[in-house]
Amino acid sequence: MKALNIVGTFIILLLCVASCSKESVEHFLRRDTDKLSFGYKSSKQTFTLRSSQAWTIDLNGNDWISVDTLKGGATGERVLNVGVTVSRNLGAQREGIITLKSGDKTAEITVTQQEGTVIFGTPYFTQPLLPGTPLEEAYIVIPYSKGGLEGLVTVQSQISGPGAAGIQVPNTQVDMSNDAGEVRIPVTGTPTQVGVVNIGITLLGQTVSVNSEVKPQGNTDPVGTVYLSQDFNLLVLGGDHFNKAAGLQLQGDWATLDGKRVLPENPVFAISGTGNTDGSNDYFATMHPSYVAMRGLAGWTGSRVYERPGLVKINTASSTDGYLATPKLSAIQGWADIKVKFKAARWSENATNDKDATVAVFVRNAGTSAQHGVHFGLTPNLTEFEVIVEGATSETVIEFRGRNAANSRFFLDDIHISKVIK
């Protein structure tokens, strides 16, 4: 019996050894994710790796992806953190696959990176191009967003046209390390001939066209002179549509004067309504001119314009004729090329019905613009737009109008009009 026990124990030990040996040689390769997603800027993320044997990483020719190390020894059950870095993306959204290999095992990780094309705004000159007048401390200025680039950016320029005689735009390098800013390209020389000037600015694989003209200027105002500025900060009533929050509202009835609404003698205000509640009726159809002036909009005209805190809402769900127009730009002496800068956003309550809302700028009475009547698509967030108007005078009126269709409600804010050199 004792001999049998010894034999049984020996067999059990052999089975244990065989089992343990099998576990020790079972090959595995594991990672904690099969996908990494990056923004357009250069950045780094990590994944974890475990392998029972030596391993390697193949980047599959994706030169915009790098890893901390391309190979290593067995980790067993120990977790190894591997860093993955992507370079700054200057183009369309991209995707690449990196492959982990260990013995006969492979595993893939898909790496995606957001579209990162730098966005350039409307360029302008800091000084007029006057025949026979030397250009001193003169620049072409190109606004940009989605910057954040490391190192200096090379800028190449080509100039042509009958007015180009005597003007030089040298190649240069610029700093675009800020997320948003301006590229300033020096312009030198002395214009000798009246006429059109065409300049092509090439940077980051894009070409920005700058079309100007050597001509006498209509006034002596410095570039940047502000002819109109309206931030709507005097408007305080209505719901906060963007944060979907109730806002300040008049309690009780409006008083009337000459058949139009004014605040009562002792107005009482309280937070009420919803984020979709207007703070007034249509400014120009039902509100008294004294109330409109109190809100800083004397001389403005429009239709379907409603008060919201710090901005205006234009149009209703069914209206198609909403607009807001500035007073005449009476501060302009003679004539000037101007930049109209503003922010706009669409009503965002119904993503299906409201998605096609737009805003267009119309130049009335005097001046011309290549962007006259062009409709800009809107998002639920306030976005800044710029329109250049040539030959504006004291008679010029700038009008902001939605598309001629239902569900074209939009918000308007921060309108600033200043002199540029076109």
Side-chain angles (χ1 to χ4, degrees):
M1 181 66 70
K2 184 175 180 181
L4 288 175
N5 285 339
I6 292 173
V7 171
T9 301
F10 180 69
I11 292 173
I12 291 171
L13 286 173
L14 285 176
L15 290 174
C16 288
V17 170
S19 174
C20 292
S21 175
K22 183 179 179 181
E23 288 184 3
S24 65
V25 299
E26 183 181 359
H27 181 32
F28 63 87
L29 173 65
R30 305 185 185 116
R31 78 279 198 239
D32 66 343
T33 183
D34 61 359
K35 185 173 182 180
L36 294 173
S37 299
F38 293 83
Y40 64 85
K41 293 183 180 180
S42 176
S43 58
K44 181 178 182 179
Q45 296 184 39
T46 61
F47 68 91
T48 64
L49 179 150
R50 289 180 295 161
S51 177
S52 60
Q53 296 180 15
W55 54 270
T56 61
I57 295 178
D58 186 353
L59 299 180
N60 297 310
N62 295 297
D63 58 2
W64 53 278
I65 304 173
S66 62
V67 293
D68 290 344
T69 181
L70 290 170
K71 61 183 178 179
T75 67
E77 292 298 332
R78 178 175 59 87
V79 172
L80 177 67
N81 291 314
V82 180
V84 178
T85 301
V86 295
S87 60
R88 172 65 159 82
N89 188 9
L90 292 172
Q93 178 177 307
R94 54 189 176 182
E95 180 176 294
I97 293 176
I98 61 177
T99 305
L100 284 59
K101 300 178 180 179
S102 178
D104 61 351
K105 303 287 187 181
T106 62
E108 293 182 344
I109 296 177
T110 301
V111 180
T112 58
Q113 188 176 22
Q114 293 177 350
E115 182 270 336
T117 305
V118 176
I119 299 172
F120 293 105
T122 305
Y124 62 91
F125 285 81
T126 60
Q127 289 186 20
L129 302 179
L130 299 173
T133 302
L135 293 164
E136 298 177 355
E137 296 296 320
Y139 296 89
I140 297 170
V141 178
I142 307 176
Y144 72 85
S145 57
K146 291 182 76 171
L149 304 178
E150 297 180 0
L152 295 177
V153 175
T154 298
V155 179
Q156 295 180 315
S157 306
Q158 289 187 328
I159 183 169
S160 61
I167 303 174
Q168 294 86 45
V169 185
N171 296 336
T172 187
Q173 291 186 313
V174 296
D175 180 357
M176 297 180 64
S177 57
N178 292 330
D179 287 340
E182 295 179 332
V183 171
R184 296 173 68 86
I185 303 165
V187 183
T188 61
T190 300
T192 61
Q193 186 173 325
V194 172
V196 172
V197 180
N198 301 309
I199 303 172
I201 307 294
T202 302
L203 68 170
L204 300 173
Q206 300 186 54
T207 298
V208 179
S209 297
V210 186
N211 301 313
S212 188
E213 188 175 356
V214 178
K215 60 183 179 181
Q217 288 295 294
N219 65 33
T220 59
D221 292 340
V223 172
T225 296
V226 176
Y227 294 127
L228 181 143
S229 182
Q230 176 58 261
D231 57 17
F232 300 103
N233 284 350
L234 295 179
L235 281 64
V236 296
L237 301 181
D240 182 351
H241 179 80
F242 299 96
N243 293 306
K244 302 188 182 304
L248 201 64
Q249 301 282 353
L250 175 69
Q251 302 302 291
D253 296 329
W254 291 82
T256 59
L257 178 63
D258 300 327
K260 293 200 170 184
R261 297 187 174 195
V262 294
L263 291 173
E265 185 174 350
N266 295 301
V268 176
F269 302 99
I271 301 295
S272 64
T274 71
N276 295 335
T277 307
D278 294 327
S280 72
N281 284 71
D282 184 351
Y283 257 45
F284 302 102
T286 64
M287 308 304 291
H288 193 270
S290 63
Y291 180 86
V292 176
M294 180 177 65
R295 293 304 198 232
L297 292 172
W300 292 66
T301 57
S303 177
R304 317 285 186 182
V305 179
Y306 305 88
E307 181 168 344
R308 290 300 180 101
L311 40 68
V312 290
K313 187 201 87 175
I314 299 175
N315 270 329
T316 64
S318 59
S319 62
T320 62
D321 57 351
Y323 76 95
L324 180 67
T326 69
K328 292 181 178 180
L329 302 180
S330 58
I332 298 177
Q333 302 278 332
W335 62 266
D337 297 335
I338 59 174
K339 175 172 63 176
V340 180
K341 186 163 65 173
F342 64 96
K343 294 177 182 176
R346 69 170 173 83
W347 183 271
S348 60
E349 202 59 30
N350 188 311
T352 300
N353 292 340
D354 302 314
K355 65 182 176 62
D356 295 324
T358 61
V359 61
V361 174
F362 293 84
V363 183
R364 306 299 188 191
N365 300 340
T368 60
S369 174
Q371 297 155 295
H372 172 89
V374 174
H375 281 264
F376 299 100
L378 301 176
T379 73
N381 300 311
L382 284 168
T383 302
E384 188 169 89
F385 299 93
E386 290 185 0
V387 170
I388 300 297
V389 178
E390 298 181 62
T393 74
S394 58
E395 293 294 312
T396 299
V397 169
I398 304 299
E399 178 183 296
F400 305 87
R401 184 178 288 270
R403 70 189 181 104
N404 185 22
N407 297 307
S408 58
R409 292 170 285 188
F410 67 98
F411 297 91
L412 195 60
D413 196 10
D414 290 337
I415 301 171
H416 299 284
I417 300 175
S418 59
K419 181 175 179 177
V420 296
I421 301 299
K422 177 64 177 71

